[in-house]
Amino acid sequence: MKEIMLPHEAFAEVIEKYNLKQHELVKASGIDKGVVSRFINGESDIKARNLQKLIKALPLQARAYYLMLSSYDSELNNNKVAEKSNKYKV
């Protein structure tokens, strides 16, 4: 697993790991297929409310895995920010 994973990379990993189909997520989330495709392929960002809809459309285990990837990355980012700010304290 990469140290820092962008949201679309985490989502793409979940889709691959759980053998999910984009068209199933589109149907379950109600989000336009182009929006979902561009997000997963890293071609564009996604609105927070649409990301929430996509996450809710995931099966429970896949959702838990995505949230684990996301929190892992958030924790890493927070630790790196803290390390950098401590580095410059006088």
Side-chain angles (χ1 to χ4, degrees), residues 1 13 62-74:
M1 182 177 348
E13 182 172 322
R63 188 182 317 162
Y65 185 64
Y66 178 81
L67 294 173
M68 186 270 312
L69 290 174
S70 298
S71 65
Y72 173 76
D73 289 338
S74 294

Side-chain angles (χ1 to χ4, degrees), residues 2-81:
K2 290 170 40 176
E3 188 174 293
I4 300 296
M5 187 175 286
L6 298 172
H8 75 273
E9 293 172 324
F11 218 89
E13 182 172 322
V14 169
I15 287 173
E16 184 177 332
K17 180 178 176 77
Y18 290 92
N19 197 31
L20 302 172
K21 307 293 181 218
Q22 282 188 30
H23 68 87
E24 294 169 349
L25 292 173
V26 165
K27 185 176 180 181
S29 68
I31 301 170
D32 179 76
K33 66 181 177 182
V35 172
V36 173
S37 178
R38 287 188 299 274
F39 167 66
I40 292 171
N41 292 322
E43 297 168 3
S44 69
D45 290 332
I46 192 168
K47 293 179 181 178
R49 70 173 180 257
N50 285 340
L51 180 56
Q52 289 176 332
K53 288 178 183 178
L54 277 177
I55 293 168
K56 287 180 181 180
L58 292 171
L60 188 57
Q61 286 183 320
R63 188 182 317 162
Y65 185 64
Y66 178 81
L67 294 173
M68 186 270 312
L69 290 174
S70 298
S71 65
Y72 173 76
D73 289 338
S74 294
E75 187 175 312
L76 279 175
N77 287 332
N78 289 339
N79 288 341
K80 286 184 178 190
V81 168

